[in-house]
């Protein structure tokens, strides 16, 4: 079977890996100063960090809507036997739900809830590419990916709490104490 692997831009895979495995990413919308940007297209992580470091507010994201997913799935529907789309975890965004709604119109699209973001999601995307090479049954591929996803646990170590304070998730005093004690949450 000829399988196309899609993912939300939150998988944070390098341009080299995206190219090597012919992975297409669908950009989430980044909201900065009440303006919408496309993740990785009209705004980069470096620009977001520079904005916040310069005193700007934290940016937020907006989920990809079902209509946008329908457009993306339509692009590949006729060219591939199957489409596997790996979403940012459903606990972080409504993108997964929206992708499932759009996929109802495409019998050859399967949506995977990565239950992760960033590198955790990226691992699921890479596993999808590996499994797609020998895929003979789209539903069996989805089952394998769902089982793999349940085993993926990604965590982050924060070097500092500056962004947590800025987002209201940590007090300035707690951040100061953590920094003085060299704690890495």
């Amino acid at each position: 079977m000829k399988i196309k692997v899609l993912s939300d831009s939150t998988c944070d895979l390098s341009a080299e890996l995206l190219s090597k495995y012919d992975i297409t990413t669908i950009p989430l919308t980044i909201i900065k100063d009440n303006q919408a940007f496309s993740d990785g297209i009209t705004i980069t992580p470096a620009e977001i960090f520079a904005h916040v470091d310069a005193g700007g507010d934290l940016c937020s994201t907006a989920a990809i809507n079902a209509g946008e997913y329908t457009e993306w799935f339509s692009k590949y529907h006729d060219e591939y036997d199957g489409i596997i789309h790996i979403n940012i975890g459903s606990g972080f965004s409504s993108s997964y739900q929206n992708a499932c709604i759009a996929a109802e119109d495409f019998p050859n699209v399967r949506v995977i809830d990565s239950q992760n973001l960033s590198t955790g999601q990226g691992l699921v995307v890479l596993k999808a590419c590996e499994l797609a090479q020998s895929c003979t049954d789209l539903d069996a591929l989805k089952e394998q990916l769902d089982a793999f996803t349940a085993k993926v646990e990604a965590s982050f170590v924060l070097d500092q709490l500056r962004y947590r304070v800025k987002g209201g998730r940590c007090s300035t005093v707690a951040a100061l104490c953590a920094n003085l004690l060299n704690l890495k949450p």
Side-chain angles (χ1 to χ4, degrees):
M1 290 182 80
K2 187 176 175 187
I3 306 293
K4 177 66 179 172
V5 176
L6 303 174
S7 178
D8 297 336
S9 59
T10 52
C11 67
D12 291 337
L13 292 172
S14 69
E16 292 80 18
L17 286 172
L18 295 173
S19 176
K20 178 180 179 179
Y21 294 105
D22 190 31
I23 302 162
T24 299
T25 57
I26 302 172
L28 263 69
T29 299
I30 306 292
I31 309 297
K32 181 184 92 166
D33 293 336
N34 294 320
Q35 290 185 322
F37 298 88
S38 293
D39 185 21
I41 297 173
T42 57
I43 194 166
T44 64
E47 291 169 324
I48 294 168
F49 296 140
H51 166 75
V52 175
D53 286 344
D57 289 334
L58 289 179
C59 298
S60 60
T61 59
I64 300 164
N65 66 48
E68 290 172 295
Y69 279 121
T70 297
E71 290 176 24
W72 282 98
F73 296 160
S74 293
K75 285 183 184 182
Y76 301 105
H77 173 68
D78 292 332
E79 184 180 346
Y80 291 87
D81 299 316
I83 299 169
I84 293 292
H85 175 70
I86 294 94
N87 269 101
I88 181 174
S90 60
F92 302 107
S93 171
S94 61
S95 290
Y96 171 74
Q97 177 184 354
N98 295 342
C100 289
I101 291 168
E104 290 174 0
D105 294 332
F106 299 92
N108 66 337
V109 174
R110 301 298 182 273
V111 180
I112 308 297
D113 179 354
S114 73
Q115 301 177 26
N116 277 281
L117 52 86
S118 193
T119 55
Q121 181 182 350
L123 286 172
V124 178
V125 173
L126 294 175
K127 185 67 168 181
C129 293
E130 175 191 321
L131 294 173
Q133 293 175 1
S134 60
C135 177
T136 58
D137 181 315
L138 202 54
D139 290 322
L141 176 57
K142 179 178 176 9
E143 286 179 23
Q144 289 176 299
L145 288 170
D146 286 340
F148 178 77
T149 296
K151 298 175 185 174
V152 175
E153 288 186 30
S155 59
F156 301 87
V157 176
L158 302 175
D159 188 45
Q160 55 182 301
L161 297 174
R162 176 176 49 184
Y163 294 111
R164 306 279 297 168
V165 170
K166 197 162 187 119
R169 299 185 187 270
C170 176
S171 73
T172 304
V173 173
L176 177 63
C177 291
N179 289 337
L180 288 173
L181 297 171
N182 200 25
L183 297 176
K184 306 293 185 201

